[in-house]
Amino acid sequence: MTDEFKDELFDEKNEVKVEYKTLAWGKVGDWFKGTLTDNTRQLLNNLSKTKEMQTVFVFKAASGSFHDIVDKVVKEEATECVKGDFWSYITGKPALLGQLKNAKLGQVVGLRFSEEKKSTTPGYNSAKIIKVYLGEMDPDYQGESQGD
């Protein structure tokens, strides 16, 4: 592309900004309720020693409240999920993947951070126990996704 190429499509005002809203579990009791809209994306966990693949679950929020984690510090103020916003939950944990694989697109799903268990492996963080609740199909779900 040369400097002579001028097309208003490529103006900054038309650039699509990528915005990810990712659920975090900072404090026991954090929760989320939403409609599953996507479960097809996977990514490599480069932060993990084992470099396992993770699945990205995307939900259209009904409600929720959780404490975000920024630079390994749990925020004191809870983040409140706004109805209709899209949120991602990313996990590679076999137990959670096994529970979430039963959820269908358009189904209402609840997630709750129920407890923390101390790691038996020195140097590892405590395990966050996230419970999965599968509800009814969302009657308002029309196949929409985050990209719509």
Side-chain angles (χ1 to χ4, degrees), residues 1-11:
M1 184 156 63
T2 67
D3 289 337
E4 295 173 10
F5 181 77
K6 303 276 192 246
D7 187 320
E8 66 184 57
L9 173 67
F10 296 100
D11 285 348

Side-chain angles (χ1 to χ4, degrees), residues 82-139:
V82 175
K83 184 176 182 171
D85 282 357
F86 286 89
W87 288 87
S88 296
Y89 178 51
I90 303 168
T91 186
K93 305 292 183 215
L96 285 168
L97 292 172
Q99 292 172 311
L100 286 167
K101 78 174 183 178
N102 295 319
K104 297 171 181 60
L105 295 183
Q107 187 170 14
V108 177
V109 177
L111 302 167
R112 182 182 298 276
F113 178 13
S114 65
E115 66 179 298
E116 217 166 345
K117 289 190 177 178
K118 193 169 182 95
S119 174
T120 56
T121 307
Y124 280 75
N125 292 330
S126 297
K128 293 182 178 185
I129 308 303
I130 310 299
K131 291 190 176 181
V132 177
Y133 302 87
L134 298 180
E136 300 295 321
M137 297 302 289
D138 182 345

